[in-house]
Every structure is written in C-alpha cells, then in structure tokens.
Amino acid sequence: MSHYHAVKLVRRPEKALDASLFEKVSLPIPEPAEGQLLVRQSHMSLDPAMIGWMSADTESYIPPVALGEVMRSSGVGEVVASRHPDFAVGERVMGMFGWTQYALSSGAGITKIDAALPAEMVLSVLALPGLTATQGLLRLGKPKAGETLVVTGAAGSVGSLVGQLAKAEGLRVIGVVGSEDKAQWVVDTLGFDGAINYKTDDLAAKLAELTPNGVDLFFENTGGPIQQHIFGRMNAHGRIIVCGLIADYLSDTPAPGPSWLNIIKKRLTIQGFTMPDHWHEIPELIATLLPYVQSGKLQYRAHVLEGLDAAMEGLPLLVNGGNQGKLMVAL
Ligand SMILES: NC(=O)c1ccc[n+]([C@@H]2O[C@H](COP(=O)([O-])OP(=O)(O)OC[C@H]3O[C@@H](n4cnc5c(N)ncnc54)[C@H](OP(=O)(O)O)[C@@H]3O)[C@@H](O)[C@H]2O)c1
C-alpha cells in the first residue's frame, strides 16, 4: 500500500454533527525525516471534546482545528519507520495522531505502551478517560472514604472510571445516566450504590432518596437540568469538579448556572480543569492509575466502530447517548 486515508475537517458544526463536516482524502505514505517516526494507527478515540475543537472558538484551552486540516484525535499505533533515537520500529505508542491511518511525528507528546495491552483497554482506561478521572477525581476532588459522590455521564468513558475509582476509595457513589440499561450496568456490573435516569426519574426525589447524607463530591460531566438539584444538595465544604458540559456543547445559549449563594453558605470549592494542561504529567498520572487497573478494580466497555467512514458518522452517538462505553474507531 503506497497511499493511506485521512479525514480533514472542512466545515464547522452548527447544530448537528454529520459526515458533511469532513472530507476523506488519499495521501502518499511519507518517509520520516531525521528526528521523525512514522506511526501506523490501529485505533483512534472519538471524544466529546472534538465538538469544541471543531468550533471556531479561539478563546478555549486549545486552538480550533483549522479548516482543511486533518481532524484532531488521540490514538494507538505501531512505529513502522523511525529516524528518531528514542523510538524503534515495532514499538507501540499512543499520542495525538488525528483521523488518519498513518502519522509522522517528532516524538513530542508520544507515550510508549506495553505491546501486550489491548488497544481497547488502552483507549478506554489508560488514555484520556483514565487520565481525566485520575486528575479530576483523585488529584482535584481528594475523595475520602465515607463521603458521597455524584457523577454525571456515569456510564460514559470518564464517568464510569470516576465512579469505580471512588468506590475503590470507599465512597458512596451515585451515577446519573440516560437509560435504564446504563443504570443497570453502573449498579450491577460496576458496583455503584445507585443510579438516576435523568430522562425519566423525578430528579429531586430520586436524588434525595439516594443521597440521604447529602453530596460531598460532585463530578460534573454533562450539565443539564439535574445540575441545579445536585448543587442544592452539596454539603458544607463540598467539592465540585467541572470536567465537561456536553449538554451545552451544541447549544447557542448555555444553560444558566445555579445561584452563587450556596457557594458561600456551604463553603464550596468549584474547580474546572482540562487535560492538555497535564500532558507533561502523563507518567505520574499513569503511575497513580495503574494500581487500580492491576488490582482489577476498573472495568470498561469499548464501543468500537470500523473505519474512517464510520468515524464521520459516529460522533453523534456521543450527544444522543448511543455509545455504550468508550467510543473509538478501529482503522
Ligand atoms: N476536562 C477534560 O479535560 C475532559 C477530558 C475528557 C472528557 N471530558 C468531558 O467529560 C464528559 C464525558 O466525556 P466522555 O469521553 O466520558 O464521553 P462519554 O460519557 O463516553 O459519552 C458522552 C455521554 O454523554 C451523555 N450525554 C450526551 N448528551 C447529554 C445531555 N444533554 N445531558 C446529559 N448527558 C448527556 C450520553 O450518555 P447518556 O446516555 O447517559 O445520556 C453520552 O453517552 C464530556 O463532557 C467531555 O467533554 C473532559
């Protein structure tokens, strides 16, 4: 094969995500120059953050993907040619390779991974979801045994790991999800103490029933109407970790936040974070996460699409809740 496929962003999303935003191109496979390596990607991740990266917003934590540029994503692959002193042919790596079968790299931001680990496991646990859960919950949230955590997007890639890490630390964990199947999965398989279906449950009543001692830690992945109910049940000195607000990503007018009064009355700490600030800490984050993985405390499910065409069609699953676990593409 002398050519490979990649997908470029050619239009910015307005209300909907669909294949018309992208263009698939065929390109000659490049040779690495001195100091470069060539990676053949086997799996790439699809993430809600892509909605932000595709927008024209230049004020965010990372510049937008330029129109005509290969769409940004993280992934796992194998080094197939190298003129870089630190990378050898055959090594397995993860990094921001983009929507492409082959990628040239200078080695910056690339992490070597154990050849024996399945790509699904790497992208579901050790890559962005696990790093985010570790940074957000363990480093910022500082969970303590006996506390109550509520996590939104609880059956998703990040939320499912946040809940399991919190269970491993001895917290009571309540997950907010969008279907009965997801509610059943987080309780019966992942061991959460309860689940709230934000689409069908009486939010205030169910939350009160499942958090009799209030909420100490709120890990926010979604926004949406349940946010104000959780905010209202925060205990004194509670912590709110704002990881994502997917309910607002495609809306013209983000939902109004709750009144700030509770922040004073309950002496709350509210902390937003984004992982690109922490790329240089990946080895330390993995070292923190690894013991939970090795002791079998973290389960995951991967939702694998096949091929770049499926990637272009697959992004809406993240906003309509159609993904059952970590959404990724096998190339
Ligand atoms: N701060 C960071 O650096 C960082 C890093 C990674 C991820 N994130 C954020 O974390 C969140 C979760 O990401 P993920 O990769 O783990 O995705 P994910 O949870 O695997 O997939 C997205 C899920 O969000 C839920 N959802 C979609 N629209 C919703 C709405 N209007 N209201 C409530 N829930 C909705 C859906 O689940 P249901 O079926 O349950 O509705 C969907 O399956 C996202 O907001 C993402 O942007 C932030």
Side-chain angles (χ1 to χ4, degrees):
M1 184 167 106
S2 60
H3 282 66
Y4 70 101
H5 285 121
V7 170
K8 295 183 170 182
L9 181 71
V10 293
R11 246 176 14 91
R12 302 209 177 275
E14 287 170 15
K15 288 260 177 288
L17 300 169
D18 59 43
S20 72
L21 306 177
F22 305 105
E23 185 186 356
K24 190 162 106 175
V25 293
S26 174
L27 300 166
I29 296 177
E31 291 286 335
E34 191 57 41
Q36 287 186 323
L37 59 144
L38 180 68
V39 175
R40 183 173 58 218
Q41 203 173 200
S42 69
H43 292 74
M44 61 179 228
S45 175
L46 293 184
D47 295 286
M50 289 171 171
I51 303 169
W53 301 343
M54 290 191 289
S55 81
D57 183 2
T58 53
E59 300 288 309
S60 195
Y61 61 95
I62 191 169
V65 178
L67 292 181
E69 200 172 86
V70 171
M71 181 58 201
R72 182 183 296 149
S73 60
S74 61
V76 172
E78 184 184 335
V79 179
V80 290
S82 178
R83 294 180 65 193
H84 191 296
D86 301 337
F87 294 91
V89 169
E91 284 185 319
R92 226 144 145 262
V93 287
M94 69 177 182
M96 299 297 290
F97 301 124
W99 290 28
T100 179
Q101 292 173 311
Y102 284 82
L104 273 181
S105 166
S106 67
I110 293 203
T111 307
K112 291 186 191 182
I113 46 174
D114 186 334
L117 294 175
E120 286 88 351
M121 193 266 189
V122 172
L123 288 185
S124 302
V125 182
L126 294 178
L128 186 67
L131 300 174
T132 306
T134 303
Q135 174 63 25
L137 179 76
L138 300 179
R139 282 183 165 186
L140 300 177
K142 299 187 175 59
K144 294 179 204 65
E147 291 186 326
T148 296
L149 167 94
V150 176
V151 54
T152 52
S157 326
V158 174
S160 60
L161 296 177
V162 166
Q164 292 178 85
L165 287 171
K167 280 305 300 175
E169 290 299 308
L171 279 78
R172 175 175 177 78
V173 173
I174 306 302
V176 180
V177 296
S179 74
E180 285 311 304
D181 166 71
K182 290 182 180 182
Q184 210 174 346
W185 185 63
V186 300
V187 173
D188 295 348
T189 305
L190 304 188
F192 288 19
D193 299 285
I196 301 171
N197 182 334
Y198 72 87
K199 291 182 179 164
T200 56
D201 283 335
D202 176 333
L203 301 182
K206 188 81 181 206
L207 190 62
E209 175 198 324
L210 291 176
T211 60
N213 299 321
V215 178
D216 303 291
L217 249 176
F218 170 16
F219 196 103
E220 174 64 295
N221 279 316
T222 67
I226 197 163
Q227 186 187 66
Q228 59 170 308
H229 295 286
I230 305 171
F231 189 76
R233 283 195 71 73
M234 294 302 297
N235 289 330
H237 304 291
R239 287 91 71 209
I240 301 177
I241 306 302
V242 187
C243 174
L245 290 173
I246 195 168
D248 283 339
Y249 290 169
L250 284 168
S251 100
D252 289 336
T253 330
S259 157
W260 282 20
L261 266 183
N262 228 22
I263 302 176
I264 301 172
K265 286 199 298 190
K266 299 291 175 60
R267 289 85 83 204
L268 301 178
T269 303
I270 304 176
Q271 173 76 60
F273 74 105
T274 60
M275 286 314 292
D277 285 352
H278 303 283
W279 288 156
H280 63 288
E281 296 166 288
I282 286 180
E284 296 96 301
L285 287 164
I286 289 186
T288 304
L289 181 62
L290 220 45
Y292 296 92
V293 178
Q294 286 163 338
S295 59
K297 300 238 164 69
L298 301 181
Q299 300 188 57
Y300 67 92
R301 52 183 184 183
H303 187 136
V304 185
L305 307 174
E306 297 289 330
L308 285 172
D309 293 309
M312 295 190 273
E313 305 286 350
L315 272 184
L317 295 172
L318 292 168
V319 280
N320 65 27
N323 64 312
Q324 304 281 331
K326 175 73 200 102
L327 192 61
M328 65 184 74
V329 180
L331 296 166

